Amino acid sequence: MCLHTLTGTGWRSVDTAVNSLICNERLEMTKHMGITTREYTERLIQEAITHGDTHVPTMHMVDWWLQDKSAIHKLFKVLVPRLKDNPHSFTRLFNSPMQASANKEGVMPGTKNYRDKVWWSWSATPFHP
């Protein structure tokens, strides 16, 4: 991958979403952005579980993805112990329901560019919706 690809504005929005997910534990966004964010968050969690907070390359990666330094602490002290024994995916992705103003075809009146929304949370969250 080219270096300029990693520093583009698209990556800033993905790492902001990853950071928000770590901090808030639930997030709602467009479907495409949700799927992309999920992939990178799953990888970040797997690296944190596998190598821990003493592995220098993992810490560099975590430091790049998480701008909020309290999120780094939460990742290693809260989320890793909660998710380390999870045998499957660390996150759950849900389709967000359509708004009440949608018509019988599922299209909201006056919006041609409506994007499907998803929201997701951690698999081992004690408070599911």
Side-chain angles (χ1 to χ4, degrees):
M1 218 182 268
C2 299
L3 183 60
H4 73 281
T5 305
L6 295 175
T7 58
T9 57
W11 286 104
R12 282 292 117 187
S13 61
V14 172
D15 69 357
T16 302
V18 170
N19 193 45
S20 296
L21 179 71
I22 297 290
C23 291
N24 301 326
E25 296 194 18
R26 287 196 173 117
L27 199 56
E28 182 177 0
M29 59 184 59
T30 62
K31 189 173 189 175
H32 172 72
M33 187 66 163
I35 292 170
T36 305
T37 303
R38 182 182 190 186
E39 293 170 354
Y40 287 106
T41 305
E42 293 272 345
R43 176 63 188 261
L44 187 68
I45 292 289
Q46 186 60 49
E47 290 291 324
I49 289 172
T50 304
H51 299 295
D53 58 353
T54 57
H55 190 245
V56 176
T58 301
M59 287 307 293
H60 284 301
M61 183 176 69
V62 168
D63 190 48
W64 189 86
W65 278 102
L66 303 177
Q67 300 87 23
D68 186 10
K69 300 312 171 201
S70 65
I72 296 174
H73 175 76
K74 183 175 182 175
L75 172 68
F76 286 106
K77 302 300 181 198
V78 177
L79 294 176
V80 166
R82 187 191 312 166
L83 298 171
K84 68 180 176 184
D85 296 327
N86 202 359
H88 47 78
S89 175
F90 302 122
T91 58
R92 292 176 31 171
L93 188 67
F94 300 98
N95 289 321
S96 183
M98 293 291 291
Q99 282 78 7
S101 60
N103 60 19
K104 64 180 179 178
E105 286 83 25
V107 179
M108 293 181 53
T111 58
K112 292 189 290 187
N113 296 336
Y114 177 76
R115 295 181 181 175
D116 291 333
K117 302 271 188 200
V118 295
W119 67 272
W120 51 282
S121 66
W122 300 108
S123 295
T125 302
F127 307 108
H128 284 295

